């Protein structure tokens, strides 16, 4: 029963991210790099303020815990945090570019491919085990992605890059579970900000003056960055990367629905069938959780530490 809160956290994160295009599309006239700059800078300022004002005790506790660790463990945490930050920054920039300059459906396809790559990476890198039913769900997902990629080679290229970067981020952060996740996320965003700051004067456009830009940016920072990323990292404390990855299908299903009914992008019968298969794969992968049957777990022992 304790794991249901982790499932709910993962579900909530991807449900929220499913509506990301609503905040991105109104500012699609701005360069993707500018949106990335402001997203990172404002996210860092917001999270740092929250940590310094409301979470001082938590910072001290985590610092004491980190100081007491062996040197090898410290290096491992630092490396996972910094590498994760670089992967996340790459994923953000490419995703913003794809949604604004390729298509919303291409962004959706990326997050259809991502759970498959996450499962494969977790299997080989983390040695996470899956049941036969879960492998069947992955197979169904592969079929649906192949169907969606037909005659859309540009989309599949961009989607693979976006999917691979986020899958690597998920798998890497599954191993990075020693410190408070909100604090780790703050450090990652701070590192990204320091990394891209030297490029801002040369590669940024004029400072935006439209209120719409800052309204959309506020939504992106709070509702599509801090909250879902925290929920995502929190979920990784209690369930494995493969399960978090398969729940990611909630995101593209919502994206696909918005692309059809809100952004009026064209859709084919093949795409409708493919997304229906995705829904089937989610149910099959999580059937023992959905239907509440007791079972002997095949997965690795989970880290049950509270955040």
């Amino acid at each position: 029963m304790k794991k249901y809160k982790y499932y709910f956290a993962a579900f909530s994160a991807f449900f929220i991210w499913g509506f990301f295009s609503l905040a991105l599309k109104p500012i699609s006239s701005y360069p993707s790099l500018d949106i990335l700059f402001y997203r990172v800078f404002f996210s860092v300022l917001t999270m740092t303020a929250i940590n310094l004002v409301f979470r001082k005790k938590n910072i001290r506790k985590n610092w004491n815990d980190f100081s007491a660790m062996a040197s090898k463990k410290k290096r491992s945490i630092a490396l996972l945090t910094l590498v994760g930050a670089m992967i996340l920054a790459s994923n953000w920039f490419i995703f913003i570019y794809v949604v604004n300059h390729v298509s919303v459906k291409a962004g959706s396809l990326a997050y259809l491919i991502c759970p498959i790559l996450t499962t494969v990476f977790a299997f080989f890198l983390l040695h996470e085990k899956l049941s036969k039913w879960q492998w069947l769900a992955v197979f169904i997902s592969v079929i649906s992605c192949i169907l969606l990629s037909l005659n859309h080679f540009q989309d599949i290229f961009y989607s693979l890059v976006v999917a691979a970067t986020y899958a690597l981020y998920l798998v890497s952060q599954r191993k990075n579970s020693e410190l408070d996740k909100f604090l780790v996320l703050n450090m990652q965003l701070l590192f990204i900000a320091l990394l891209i700051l030297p490029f801002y004067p040369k590669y940024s456009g004029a400072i935006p003056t439209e209120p719409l830009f800052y309204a959309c940016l506020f939504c992106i920072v709070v509702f599509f960055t801090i909250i879902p990323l925290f929920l995502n990292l929190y979920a990784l404390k209690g369930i494995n990367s493969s399960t978090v990855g398969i729940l990611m299908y909630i995101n593209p299903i919502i994206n696909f629905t918005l692309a059809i009914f809100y952004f009026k992008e064209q859709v084919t019968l093949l795409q409708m069938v493919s997304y229906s298969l995705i829904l089937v794969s989610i149910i099959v992968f999580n059937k023992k959780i959905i239907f509440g049957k007791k079972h002997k777990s095949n997965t690795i022992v989970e880290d049950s530490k509270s955040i």
Side-chain angles (χ1 to χ4, degrees):
M1 289 297 292
K2 290 181 179 179
K3 290 190 183 295
Y4 279 98
K5 63 182 180 181
Y6 300 113
Y7 279 92
F8 180 74
F11 174 88
S12 300
F14 296 122
F15 180 82
I16 292 169
W17 266 325
F19 296 93
F20 193 8
S21 57
L22 292 177
L24 273 181
K25 273 296 185 180
I27 54 175
S28 60
S29 59
Y30 290 88
S32 301
L33 194 56
D34 272 10
I35 297 173
L36 177 65
F37 281 140
Y38 289 105
R39 182 187 187 186
V40 171
F41 296 152
F42 279 79
S43 295
V44 167
L45 290 174
T46 303
M47 291 195 73
T48 303
I50 291 171
N51 273 315
L52 292 178
V53 175
F54 300 107
R55 309 183 81 239
K56 290 181 181 178
K57 290 182 180 179
N58 195 278
I59 293 174
R60 283 196 293 268
K61 179 183 180 302
N62 276 266
W63 175 251
N64 291 335
D65 291 343
F66 182 76
S67 299
M69 293 176 186
S71 297
K72 185 177 179 181
K73 190 65 178 177
K74 289 180 182 177
R75 286 195 297 271
S76 175
I77 291 173
L79 183 63
L80 285 170
T81 300
L82 297 183
V83 169
M86 294 178 69
I87 297 171
L88 186 61
S90 302
N91 175 263
W92 281 5
F93 174 72
I94 299 166
F95 179 75
I96 290 169
Y97 177 83
V98 168
V99 170
N100 283 350
H101 302 289
V102 181
S103 72
V104 175
K105 283 186 292 187
S108 300
L109 183 57
Y111 287 100
L112 289 175
I113 300 170
C114 190
I116 299 169
L117 293 181
T118 302
T119 300
V120 172
F121 291 161
F123 180 79
F124 286 106
L125 299 177
L126 300 181
H127 308 294
E128 293 182 357
K129 305 299 181 183
L130 299 177
S131 68
K132 292 179 180 179
W133 280 102
Q134 290 172 322
W135 277 118
L136 175 62
V138 172
F139 177 74
I140 295 171
S141 301
V142 171
I143 296 299
S144 68
C145 290
I146 291 172
L147 292 175
L148 283 169
S149 66
L150 296 176
N151 301 319
H152 293 87
F153 295 110
Q154 183 186 31
D155 286 7
I156 196 67
F157 171 76
Y158 284 109
S159 298
L160 278 169
V161 177
V162 175
T165 51
Y166 197 70
L168 284 172
Y169 178 72
L170 279 180
V171 171
S172 68
Q173 298 315 292
R174 178 74 177 95
K175 297 287 288 183
N176 192 17
S177 59
E178 300 296 327
L179 300 179
D180 176 85
K181 290 298 187 183
F182 194 85
L183 193 57
V184 168
L185 181 57
N186 193 172
M187 290 188 290
Q188 288 179 331
L189 292 178
L190 182 59
F191 179 70
I192 294 172
L194 294 174
L195 198 65
I196 67 176
L197 186 60
F199 299 97
Y200 177 76
K202 184 175 180 180
Y203 294 101
S204 66
I207 296 175
T209 56
E210 287 185 277
L212 176 64
F213 178 85
Y214 292 101
C216 289
L217 188 68
F218 173 81
C219 291
I220 289 171
V221 167
V222 177
F223 299 111
F224 300 113
T225 301
I226 295 174
I227 293 175
L229 268 178
F230 172 72
L231 289 171
N232 203 181
L233 291 176
Y234 177 75
L236 287 169
K237 295 282 285 185
I239 55 179
N240 62 30
S241 308
S242 302
T243 304
V244 172
I246 210 72
L247 287 172
M248 195 183 301
Y249 281 131
I250 296 160
N251 180 337
I253 288 171
I254 295 173
N255 252 324
F256 185 71
T257 304
L258 289 174
I260 299 169
F261 296 105
Y262 188 80
F263 296 112
K264 307 300 182 182
E265 293 185 6
Q266 292 184 346
V267 63
T268 65
L269 178 61
L270 183 62
Q271 290 171 324
M272 294 296 291
V273 171
S274 300
Y275 275 84
S276 297
L277 287 175
I278 290 297
L279 281 171
V280 172
S281 73
I282 294 174
I283 295 170
V284 171
F285 193 95
N286 295 287
K287 76 179 190 73
K288 292 180 180 179
I289 297 298
I290 293 171
F291 299 109
K293 291 183 179 180
K294 294 180 180 180
H295 64 289
K296 190 174 181 179
S297 176
N298 289 325
T299 59
I300 59 171
V301 177
E302 301 295 345
D303 181 359
S304 60
K305 295 177 183 177
S306 60
I307 197 161

